[in-house]
Amino acid sequence: MAEQPIQRGRLRPAPEHFLNEADVQAVEAGRRGFLRKALVTASAAMAATTVARAEDGDPAILTLPPWTTSLGQPVAARPYGLPSQYEKGLQRRESPGLTRMSQVSVAFTPLQGLFGIVTPSGLHFERHHQGWSDIDPSKHRLMINASDDGFIRAPRVYTVDDILRLPPVSRMHFIECGANTGMEWGNVAVPTVQYTHGMLSCSEFTGVPLRTLLDDCGVNWKKARYVLAEGADGSSMTRTIPIELVESGEVLVAYGQNGEMLRPENGYPLRLVVPGVQGVSWVKWLRRIEVGDQPWATKDEAIHYVDLLPGGQHRQYTSIQECKSVITTPSGGQMLLDKGFYNISGLAWSGRGKITRVDVSTDGGVNWRSARIDGPVHGKCLTRFNIDWVWDGRPAILQSRAVDDTGYVQPRYGQLRAVRGTKSIYHNNAIQSWKVAETGEVSNVQVL
Ligand code: MTE
């Protein structure tokens, strides 16, 4: 169904905010010119309306609206709050081409419409290998066992209540799917930041360090080298996780997300939080942890999230999400309505620690300026950057380049491909480029 577009600042939204069925077919058929034309027409109409209002005297200031002259809605009219009806175009969306081609199930976060670093729980991206279920917590269990004698003293089965009784910790972290930005390896140039980078979200997670549970089961920290995490869904998602990450106390068995229980799509009632590591290891609907001394090489580890390198070799178990950033506004599919001042805003993150700097270029990487980092900066967490820009109406190429506290600098496509080749799908952290045309239209381009 067609949705009302959201206008913020002097930017028109990306067309995917309000895709209808005909638009979806146009995207699938690669006829994006159709959408651009529609957007230009809509923008022209909007600009004309604004001018007419200014000449007549703005009724929005001259006339008292009904919400000032009548009673509002009663308290608790909505016992569980919802966004304004005027924001309903901002949604998680499936990429029609991607989902229909490969039968994978992904709904992307609309990064272009968000502020700060927290992803609202209802807009957290979703990636399921076998769909999601709303599991009754009273029937859910977490078992901790070992692949052999001697790894743990006392295997245990926990109820969700058992876990809720233990001392909790809360931490802000990003989660990024290893396949995020995957289409760009093949230079497919999907149209919007929602589809290039939207398998990325950030929340405050609350739970119990997995270390606490392993201690409770009497783990032999000297002998244990890895744990295997298993989900309760039909895919029986299983991933090997190095014991150092668990022993450091960073890995959580989480039940809370942004102050409430996890949403069913994101693993209710229990999920693993593995900060800095690719999303697939954040096993949802967590039902079992096994302790052992070597990787399990399960199906999920052998067929997915493996990088094919030049020369036919492949990388497996490369799980840390390297330092990366993206400008979320202005970004692909949006339209600058006129020349003048814009705030360029974006997100940066690193699976190795904190973001220390983000540089922004408006000329395709020739000149760089350091962006402002105004918000909180946590380790392994999204970091918001902003920078002023006065658009002179000429073509421009917008880029951001992040640096983390290990000194690692986000690479250009040319640098990444020199090491990794061109056959990968996963773990693309290259610099993203958005081209601004003279018309104000913003589109996805690749700069080597
Ligand atoms: N856990 C289970 N049990 N089943 C799954 O399909 N998908 C994984 C991971 N954990 C998955 C899972 C993948 S590939 C990713 S990227 C993240 O969950 C996505 O988490 P989200 O849906 O909460 O964004």
Side-chain angles (χ1 to χ4, degrees), residues 92 105 107 109 124-131 175-179 198-201 205 230-239 257 262-267 271-272 278-286 300 304-305:
R92 295 192 278 229
S105 166
T109 293
H124 190 290
F125 81 96
E126 295 175 58
R127 171 77 178 96
H128 320 301
H129 289 239
Q130 184 76 37
I175 165 173
E176 181 183 25
C177 182
M199 282 196 265
L200 170 76
S201 295
F205 291 99
E230 181 184 273
D233 53 329
S235 77
S236 289
M237 169 64 69
T238 34
R239 294 294 303 187
Q257 183 179 344
L262 291 159
R263 296 287 170 97
E265 303 93 304
N266 305 116
R271 92 170 298 167
L272 210 59
Q278 62 178 338
V280 67
S281 295
W282 295 48
V283 171
K284 300 190 277 190
W285 313 292
L286 182 70
D300 294 308
H304 297 303
Y305 308 96

Side-chain angles (χ1 to χ4, degrees), residues 56 121 227:
D56 301 345
S121 297
V227 298

